[in-house]
Amino acid sequence: MIKIFIMTGSQKDQSFELDGDIVYIGRAPDNDVQIMDSSVSRKHSRILKKGEKYFIEDLKSTNGTFFNGELVHPGTEVEIKEGLPISIGKILISFGKPCSRDVMDAGDESRLPPELIETGAFTVYADRPRTTRKNLELIYKVSSVLMRSLDIEEIFEKTLDNLFELLKRIDHGAIVLVDSDSGAIDQVVGRSRHDKAATSIAFSKAVVEKVVKEGKAVKVQDVAKEKKIDLSDSGELIQSVLCVPLISKSRVRGVIYVDSLGTHGFRDEDIELLSALSTPAAVAIENALLYSSLEKVAEEKSELLRDSEKQYRDCEARFKAVFDNMASGVVFLGPVNEGEDFVVLDINRAAENIEKVKKIEILGKNASEVLPGIKGSELMEIVKSVWESGKHERRTLSIEQPGGLGTWRIYFVARLPTGEIITIFDEVTEKPGAEEEG
């Protein structure tokens, strides 16, 4: 009988027999193959048997499903072969027989940021150029720079800086963002190696639309000989085109598009390196847009509170939708006794889960008494400092858990125009490198 083999993680070397035509994989106990890992969704994916063939389908998981290094789009059935790697979150599994030894999971690279490890996009092969430690460390350094910023324009600039630094063949490059619902082009930021002042470039919309639709990279080695794609709008004298998707949380957010005027064009390792760079870029862009959205909603809330009750209710509805559904923990604090202490004004669901508290039991109470994350940490002093200075801070703190266990959290603390304090935080399994502080 066909089996599924767990190749990495705490359940490494376990195997499960595929009994039936549909087998569910996920973290919840009612799955046929239960994988106990935080990067795996409750109902992550499923394997379907059709005749003598087997297919895998992602069930709109948080961190995605990858087969043989390629993203499996939710709702799409992809045929799987024996012995090839399948990434379920950051856990590597194999169908039919164990993966060969030259397949490794980049999630085992402890120096890579947790945000990137959990996507499963770093499942790589030892015999490919991008699997060298040098390339992984290079991508890690780039990702560290990107993760420190929440400014979307700064992220665009740094991504393009690194594009031209990493790939010397590039003559023009662009980041193209698309509407997540319609797929229409929403924003384009470009650069030319020959014209430093240029902020836009000519690019092939046909290539961009193909990559957005299929979620796969496209390389055109010789534009003049290409017949499958219309490249008439790619610009004069262009020799080669390379375009990779920006994928975050299993959704295509846009593309990185580059071209070359040289006669040699792009190499296979170029598309691997560009694909690896696209992962931290996509995560950074996603985070920046999320924080930007939250800041805008918070500002709107403060202004609309001075307007009519109807305007206030409208703003509250928009804010609540973002607030309740954020993956990050969010707590609003109000100063008392001239900032000597702070009371809990509001807390979202993610914060309740992280802090292991109930909202109804802590509202209006002193934060230092009811929030475990503040007790015995530097967070209260940071909150006081931000309230007094008005300057936001981003810090990584060690939080002591019951039973003497410790964990790390990344905090973003800011003062709103109303004088209230907002703290946004994520829990990580290990302390990030020092350069990520900012």
Side-chain angles (χ1 to χ4, degrees):
M1 182 174 288
I2 293 289
K3 292 184 178 181
I4 285 288
F5 297 86
I6 309 296
M7 306 302 298
T8 61
S10 61
Q11 295 169 255
K12 182 180 178 181
D13 297 329
Q14 289 187 22
S15 63
F16 298 82
E17 291 186 348
L18 299 188
D19 185 14
D21 293 337
I22 302 178
V23 174
Y24 286 88
I25 304 173
R27 194 176 70 251
D30 59 344
N31 287 283
D32 302 295
V33 178
Q34 184 184 15
I35 302 179
M36 299 300 295
D37 189 90
S38 60
S39 69
V40 178
S41 297
R42 291 181 59 81
K43 285 286 186 183
H44 198 104
S45 58
R46 65 178 183 176
I47 293 177
L48 305 94
K49 181 181 180 182
K50 296 184 176 181
E52 298 301 317
K53 296 182 178 181
Y54 288 84
F55 299 81
I56 191 164
E57 177 185 359
D58 183 82
L59 301 177
K60 298 182 179 179
S61 64
T62 299
N63 293 314
T65 302
F66 292 77
F67 172 63
N68 202 25
E70 296 289 340
L71 176 68
V72 177
H73 291 279
T76 301
E77 298 175 3
V78 175
E79 185 177 357
I80 54 178
K81 303 292 185 181
E82 292 189 10
L84 294 179
I86 302 172
S87 293
I88 305 295
K90 68 176 182 179
I91 301 299
L92 186 68
I93 68 174
S94 184
F95 165 76
K97 62 182 180 180
C99 298
S100 59
R101 291 185 178 274
D102 65 348
V103 177
M104 65 179 183
D105 183 10
D108 293 333
E109 296 286 342
S110 59
R111 296 187 61 197
L112 288 173
E115 300 96 320
L116 306 182
I117 294 173
E118 294 197 352
T119 64
F122 276 88
T123 301
V124 293
Y125 298 82
D127 61 347
R128 292 185 184 175
R130 73 176 171 117
T131 64
T132 63
R133 177 170 291 276
K134 181 179 178 181
N135 277 353
L136 284 175
E137 289 182 352
L138 183 60
I139 295 301
Y140 168 67
K141 291 177 182 178
V142 173
S143 67
S144 297
V145 172
L146 294 177
M147 293 302 175
R148 288 206 302 266
S149 178
L150 293 175
D151 186 307
I152 190 68
E153 298 298 331
E154 183 181 10
I155 290 172
F156 288 153
E157 181 179 352
K158 290 184 181 297
T159 301
L160 289 171
D161 285 344
N162 286 293
L163 274 178
F164 282 85
E165 179 65 25
L166 292 174
L167 296 177
K168 300 301 183 182
R169 294 176 179 79
I170 294 177
D171 289 291
H172 308 96
I175 299 172
V176 183
L177 298 187
V178 298
D179 183 273
S180 58
D181 295 322
S182 66
I185 294 175
D186 188 47
Q187 188 174 2
V188 180
V189 179
R191 181 179 297 182
S192 169
R193 189 181 294 277
H194 314 289
D195 183 0
K196 303 298 183 182
T199 57
S200 62
I201 65 166
F203 64 92
S204 171
K205 291 184 179 179
V207 170
V208 170
E209 289 171 357
K210 179 179 177 62
V211 173
V212 170
K213 181 179 179 181
E214 298 179 1
K216 297 180 180 180
V218 166
K219 182 181 75 169
V220 179
Q221 191 67 13
D222 189 339
V223 170
K225 297 180 180 178
E226 178 60 36
K227 297 180 179 180
K228 295 182 180 179
I229 306 175
D230 180 9
L231 295 169
S232 59
D233 57 350
S234 61
E236 297 181 359
L237 305 179
I238 299 300
Q239 175 69 26
S240 303
V241 170
L242 196 57
C243 187
V244 300
L246 289 166
I247 299 175
S248 178
K249 297 180 180 178
S250 300
R251 300 183 68 180
V252 179
R253 308 295 181 177
V255 304
I256 296 178
Y257 180 100
V258 298
D259 63 40
S260 173
L261 304 176
T263 56
H264 298 293
F266 294 110
R267 301 181 302 191
D268 289 340
E269 54 262 41
D270 293 337
I271 197 169
E272 301 287 1
L273 192 58
L274 189 60
S275 295
L277 175 62
S278 72
T279 299
V283 173
I285 290 170
E286 178 86 6
N287 288 341
L289 292 174
L290 182 60
Y291 281 114
S292 175
S293 175
L294 180 62
E295 286 179 345
K296 289 178 181 179
V297 173
E299 290 172 3
E300 289 175 4
K301 176 186 173 184
S302 299
E303 182 178 349
L304 292 174
L305 281 173
R306 297 188 290 267
D307 295 336
S308 68
E309 184 178 356
K310 181 181 182 303
Q311 291 175 311
Y312 169 77
R313 287 198 301 267
D314 292 342
C315 180
E316 278 289 295
R318 290 191 295 271
F319 175 79
K320 183 173 176 58
V322 176
F323 183 68
D324 285 345
N325 292 289
M326 280 190 65
S328 301
V330 182
V331 178
F332 284 92
L333 302 174
V336 294
N337 298 327
E338 297 298 319
E340 286 299 315
D341 207 345
F342 292 80
V343 296
V344 180
L345 300 179
D346 208 350
I347 180 171
N348 74 346
R349 296 168 187 165
E352 287 184 273
N353 292 332
I354 295 173
E355 294 281 17
K356 295 179 175 59
V357 296
K358 292 186 179 297
K359 178 176 179 177
I360 194 172
E361 296 175 356
I362 67 172
L363 290 184
K365 296 182 180 180
N366 288 349
S368 58
E369 297 174 359
V370 297
L371 292 179
I374 287 184
K375 296 177 182 178
S377 75
E378 304 171 35
L379 182 55
M380 181 55 76
E381 293 305 315
I382 296 172
V383 168
K384 291 179 180 179
S385 174
V386 171
W387 183 75
E388 292 174 357
S389 68
K391 296 180 179 179
H392 69 266
E393 289 193 32
R394 178 180 171 87
R395 298 284 290 277
T396 302
L397 302 177
S398 175
I399 305 298
E400 186 173 343
Q401 299 287 350
L405 297 176
T407 186
W408 294 97
R409 291 183 190 170
I410 300 176
Y411 281 90
F412 176 81
V413 184
R415 189 181 75 185
L416 299 177
T418 59
E420 299 170 2
I421 293 292
I422 181 173
T423 66
I424 305 172
F425 57 96
D426 292 280
E427 200 167 59
V428 296
T429 56
E430 60 184 24
K431 184 179 182 181
E435 74 260 37
E436 290 192 44
E437 298 285 332

